[in-house]
Each structure stands twice: as C-alpha cells, then as structure tokens.
Short mmCIF file of all heavy atoms in Angstrom, two decimals:
data_model
loop_
_atom_site.label_atom_id
_atom_site.label_comp_id
_atom_site.label_asym_id
_atom_site.label_seq_id
_atom_site.Cartn_x
_atom_site.Cartn_y
_atom_site.Cartn_z
N PHE V 1 -130.88 6.26 -65.40
CA PHE V 1 -131.99 6.49 -66.34
C PHE V 1 -133.14 5.55 -66.13
O PHE V 1 -134.31 5.87 -66.35
CB PHE V 1 -131.51 6.31 -67.79
CG PHE V 1 -131.16 4.91 -68.21
CD1 PHE V 1 -132.11 4.07 -68.72
CD2 PHE V 1 -129.88 4.43 -68.05
CE1 PHE V 1 -131.75 2.79 -69.06
CE2 PHE V 1 -129.51 3.14 -68.43
CZ PHE V 1 -130.49 2.31 -68.94
N TRP V 2 -132.92 4.35 -65.50
CA TRP V 2 -134.04 3.41 -65.35
C TRP V 2 -135.01 3.86 -64.25
O TRP V 2 -136.07 3.39 -64.12
CB TRP V 2 -133.48 2.06 -64.91
CG TRP V 2 -132.52 2.05 -63.77
CD1 TRP V 2 -132.93 1.93 -62.43
CD2 TRP V 2 -131.18 2.23 -63.77
NE1 TRP V 2 -131.86 2.07 -61.63
CE2 TRP V 2 -130.76 2.22 -62.43
CE3 TRP V 2 -130.17 2.43 -64.76
CZ2 TRP V 2 -129.46 2.43 -62.06
CZ3 TRP V 2 -128.92 2.55 -64.40
CH2 TRP V 2 -128.49 2.55 -62.98
N SER V 3 -134.56 4.86 -63.45
CA SER V 3 -135.43 5.43 -62.45
C SER V 3 -135.18 6.99 -62.42
O SER V 3 -135.32 7.51 -61.24
CB SER V 3 -135.26 4.77 -61.08
OG SER V 3 -133.91 4.97 -60.66
N ALA V 4 -134.91 7.60 -63.44
CA ALA V 4 -134.47 9.00 -63.39
C ALA V 4 -135.61 9.92 -63.10
O ALA V 4 -136.78 9.61 -63.29
CB ALA V 4 -133.91 9.35 -64.87
N CYS V 5 -135.21 11.04 -62.59
CA CYS V 5 -136.19 12.09 -62.24
C CYS V 5 -136.21 13.21 -63.32
O CYS V 5 -137.08 14.12 -63.21
CB CYS V 5 -135.85 12.72 -60.88
SG CYS V 5 -135.90 11.57 -59.53
N ALA V 6 -135.33 13.15 -64.30
CA ALA V 6 -135.32 14.21 -65.23
C ALA V 6 -134.84 13.78 -66.66
O ALA V 6 -134.12 12.78 -66.77
CB ALA V 6 -134.25 15.39 -64.80
N ALA V 7 -135.30 14.48 -67.62
CA ALA V 7 -134.92 14.22 -69.03
C ALA V 7 -134.87 15.60 -69.72
O ALA V 7 -135.65 16.50 -69.45
CB ALA V 7 -135.93 13.34 -69.72
N THR V 8 -133.88 15.70 -70.64
CA THR V 8 -133.61 16.97 -71.28
C THR V 8 -133.73 16.75 -72.79
O THR V 8 -133.13 15.85 -73.33
CB THR V 8 -132.27 17.54 -70.97
OG1 THR V 8 -132.20 17.77 -69.64
CG2 THR V 8 -132.02 18.85 -71.73
N LEU V 9 -134.55 17.61 -73.50
CA LEU V 9 -134.72 17.62 -74.89
C LEU V 9 -133.84 18.73 -75.43
O LEU V 9 -134.04 19.88 -75.00
CB LEU V 9 -136.16 17.79 -75.32
CG LEU V 9 -136.41 18.09 -76.78
CD1 LEU V 9 -135.99 16.90 -77.71
CD2 LEU V 9 -137.79 18.38 -77.11
N ALA V 10 -132.83 18.43 -76.23
CA ALA V 10 -131.98 19.50 -76.84
C ALA V 10 -132.26 19.45 -78.35
O ALA V 10 -131.66 18.58 -79.02
CB ALA V 10 -130.48 19.29 -76.47
N ARG V 11 -133.03 20.38 -78.85
CA ARG V 11 -133.33 20.48 -80.30
C ARG V 11 -132.17 21.30 -80.95
O ARG V 11 -131.78 22.35 -80.36
CB ARG V 11 -134.63 21.07 -80.57
CG ARG V 11 -135.83 20.18 -80.18
CD ARG V 11 -137.05 20.76 -80.69
NE ARG V 11 -138.20 19.89 -80.39
CZ ARG V 11 -139.27 20.36 -79.80
NH1 ARG V 11 -139.50 21.57 -79.47
NH2 ARG V 11 -140.20 19.41 -79.52
N THR V 12 -131.80 20.94 -82.21
CA THR V 12 -130.90 21.75 -82.87
C THR V 12 -131.38 23.17 -83.05
O THR V 12 -132.51 23.42 -83.47
CB THR V 12 -130.67 21.13 -84.28
OG1 THR V 12 -130.25 19.72 -84.06
CG2 THR V 12 -129.51 21.90 -85.01
N GLY V 13 -130.51 24.08 -82.57
CA GLY V 13 -130.86 25.50 -82.71
C GLY V 13 -131.80 26.10 -81.70
O GLY V 13 -132.27 27.23 -81.76
N ALA V 14 -132.14 25.33 -80.63
CA ALA V 14 -133.07 25.72 -79.61
C ALA V 14 -132.44 25.52 -78.23
O ALA V 14 -131.58 24.70 -78.03
CB ALA V 14 -134.44 25.05 -79.73
N ALA V 15 -132.93 26.31 -77.29
CA ALA V 15 -132.43 26.11 -75.87
C ALA V 15 -132.99 24.74 -75.41
O ALA V 15 -134.13 24.38 -75.65
CB ALA V 15 -132.94 27.25 -75.05
N PRO V 16 -132.13 24.03 -74.61
CA PRO V 16 -132.57 22.77 -74.03
C PRO V 16 -133.75 22.92 -73.17
O PRO V 16 -133.84 23.99 -72.35
CB PRO V 16 -131.33 22.21 -73.26
CG PRO V 16 -130.23 23.03 -73.77
CD PRO V 16 -130.77 24.34 -74.25
N VAL V 17 -134.62 21.89 -73.08
CA VAL V 17 -135.78 21.91 -72.19
C VAL V 17 -135.69 20.71 -71.28
O VAL V 17 -135.55 19.52 -71.79
CB VAL V 17 -137.11 21.90 -73.01
CG1 VAL V 17 -138.30 21.77 -72.05
CG2 VAL V 17 -137.19 23.04 -73.89
N THR V 18 -135.72 20.86 -70.01
CA THR V 18 -135.61 19.81 -69.02
C THR V 18 -136.94 19.59 -68.35
O THR V 18 -137.55 20.51 -67.89
CB THR V 18 -134.50 20.04 -68.01
OG1 THR V 18 -133.25 20.06 -68.74
CG2 THR V 18 -134.43 18.81 -66.95
N MET V 19 -137.44 18.33 -68.32
CA MET V 19 -138.65 18.01 -67.54
C MET V 19 -138.15 17.23 -66.32
O MET V 19 -137.36 16.41 -66.43
CB MET V 19 -139.56 17.16 -68.44
CG MET V 19 -140.18 17.89 -69.59
SD MET V 19 -141.32 16.80 -70.51
CE MET V 19 -142.53 16.50 -69.29
N GLU V 20 -138.79 17.53 -65.16
CA GLU V 20 -138.47 16.75 -63.97
C GLU V 20 -139.76 16.18 -63.42
O GLU V 20 -140.81 16.80 -63.43
CB GLU V 20 -137.81 17.70 -63.00
CG GLU V 20 -136.48 18.21 -63.45
CD GLU V 20 -135.72 18.97 -62.41
OE1 GLU V 20 -135.97 18.82 -61.18
OE2 GLU V 20 -134.89 19.79 -62.79
N ARG V 21 -139.65 14.96 -62.96
CA ARG V 21 -140.67 14.25 -62.31
C ARG V 21 -140.13 13.50 -61.09
O ARG V 21 -139.47 12.50 -61.31
CB ARG V 21 -141.37 13.29 -63.26
CG ARG V 21 -142.11 13.84 -64.46
CD ARG V 21 -143.33 14.60 -64.06
NE ARG V 21 -144.08 15.04 -65.22
CZ ARG V 21 -143.98 16.22 -65.80
NH1 ARG V 21 -143.02 17.05 -65.31
NH2 ARG V 21 -144.69 16.57 -66.84
N PRO V 22 -140.32 13.98 -59.93
CA PRO V 22 -139.63 13.36 -58.81
C PRO V 22 -140.28 11.95 -58.57
O PRO V 22 -141.41 11.71 -58.92
CB PRO V 22 -139.92 14.29 -57.61
CG PRO V 22 -141.16 15.14 -58.06
CD PRO V 22 -141.12 15.17 -59.55
N TRP V 23 -139.52 11.12 -57.85
CA TRP V 23 -140.01 9.84 -57.51
C TRP V 23 -141.14 10.00 -56.56
O TRP V 23 -141.16 10.84 -55.71
CB TRP V 23 -138.93 9.04 -56.78
CG TRP V 23 -137.72 8.64 -57.58
CD1 TRP V 23 -137.56 8.67 -58.95
CD2 TRP V 23 -136.52 8.10 -57.05
NE1 TRP V 23 -136.34 8.26 -59.20
CE2 TRP V 23 -135.63 7.86 -58.08
CE3 TRP V 23 -136.10 7.82 -55.71
CZ2 TRP V 23 -134.39 7.36 -57.89
CZ3 TRP V 23 -134.85 7.37 -55.62
CH2 TRP V 23 -133.98 7.10 -56.67
N ARG V 24 -142.09 9.13 -56.63
CA ARG V 24 -143.17 9.10 -55.62
C ARG V 24 -142.73 8.09 -54.54
O ARG V 24 -143.10 8.24 -53.40
CB ARG V 24 -144.49 8.57 -56.25
CG ARG V 24 -145.08 9.76 -57.11
CD ARG V 24 -146.43 9.31 -57.73
NE ARG V 24 -146.17 8.32 -58.76
CZ ARG V 24 -146.76 7.11 -58.76
NH1 ARG V 24 -147.66 6.75 -57.92
NH2 ARG V 24 -146.49 6.24 -59.70
N ILE V 25 -141.98 7.06 -55.01
CA ILE V 25 -141.61 5.99 -53.98
C ILE V 25 -140.06 5.78 -54.15
O ILE V 25 -139.26 6.18 -53.32
CB ILE V 25 -142.37 4.70 -54.20
CG1 ILE V 25 -143.88 4.90 -54.07
CG2 ILE V 25 -141.89 3.62 -53.23
CD1 ILE V 25 -144.74 3.73 -54.59
N ASN V 26 -139.70 5.06 -55.21
CA ASN V 26 -138.32 4.75 -55.41
C ASN V 26 -137.84 4.73 -56.84
O ASN V 26 -136.71 4.27 -57.16
CB ASN V 26 -138.00 3.34 -54.80
CG ASN V 26 -138.79 2.15 -55.45
OD1 ASN V 26 -139.51 2.46 -56.46
ND2 ASN V 26 -138.66 1.03 -54.96
N GLY V 27 -138.72 5.20 -57.75
CA GLY V 27 -138.32 5.21 -59.14
C GLY V 27 -138.86 4.00 -59.88
O GLY V 27 -138.82 4.01 -61.12
#
C-alpha cells in the first residue's frame, strides 16, 4: 500500500470501483 498502483472503493449496495495509477518510477 505504501507504493500501491491500485485502490478499490466498495460502497454498500454498489459495484466496487478500482482506480489504477501505475508507478512512474518506483512508487
């Protein structure tokens, strides 16, 4: 998580949404 490329928001009653941001260098 300290240098993660993705995060997921899971709202109650809704489909999860994942955002991805690739490393530019090393995180």
Side-chain angles (χ1 to χ4, degrees):
F1 71 88
W2 56 88
S3 63
C5 295
T8 300
L9 170 63
R11 289 189 179 132
T12 305
V17 176
T18 298
M19 293 183 61
E20 294 187 25
R21 298 288 186 270
W23 295 347
R24 288 180 291 126
I25 303 168
N26 63 3

